[in-house]
Amino acid sequence: MRAWVQLIFAIGVEIAGTSLLKLSAGFSHPFIGMAGMLLYGLAIFSFSRALSQIPLSVGYAIWAGVGTAITGLIGIIVFGELMTAIKIVGFSAIIVGVILLNAPVKAPTDEATVRQSRWRTRINR
């Protein structure tokens, strides 16, 4: 449960950091830009903590997908960017992709389990 909270926090901080980078106007306002970079660092730290419990493929799909979709909506709502048919298709693809990556999978075969176990053993040394 804690890992999911860290993932949600990472997404929120990354979205805030991205918004601040937009507000910095290409670092014309350096303190705002530095605050955005600081939030990016905090997002990466929180995301790495979340990945200690969440599979990489699931965690990254959620982080990137939700972050991209919400950032896109902020661009449209806050910064006055245009909502186009292509953007609607893109947002839909992100949502479908995250759902598919979180779909339950069948249990791995014995061969796959053995290979995965060997891989984890090598990494944990």
Side-chain angles (χ1 to χ4, degrees):
M1 180 67 173
R2 185 174 183 179
W4 291 103
V5 171
Q6 288 175 318
L7 179 60
I8 292 167
F9 179 75
I11 292 167
V13 172
E14 186 250 342
I15 291 167
T18 302
S19 298
L20 286 177
L21 289 178
K22 173 69 175 173
L23 289 172
S24 78
F27 267 79
S28 296
H29 307 285
F31 292 114
I32 295 174
M34 287 188 283
M37 291 175 57
L38 180 67
L39 290 178
Y40 261 50
L42 185 57
I44 295 291
F45 175 76
S46 182
F47 180 57
S48 69
R49 301 285 299 194
L51 288 179
S52 68
Q53 306 253 329
I54 299 171
L56 176 63
S57 60
V58 173
Y60 188 75
I62 293 170
W63 185 50
V66 172
T68 301
I70 293 175
T71 301
L73 291 174
I74 288 172
I76 292 164
I77 295 166
V78 175
F79 296 108
E81 297 174 5
L82 294 176
M83 173 61 99
T84 63
I86 301 267
K87 285 185 181 179
I88 293 171
V89 170
F91 288 141
S92 301
I94 290 169
I95 292 166
V96 169
V98 169
I99 290 170
L100 290 175
L101 285 169
N102 285 299
V105 295
K106 66 180 184 175
T109 63
D110 289 335
E111 176 76 23
T113 304
V114 169
R115 252 186 282 130
Q116 185 178 26
S117 175
R118 282 188 216 141
W119 176 252
R120 285 188 178 151
T121 302
R122 288 181 193 149
I123 290 176
N124 291 332
R125 289 184 186 171

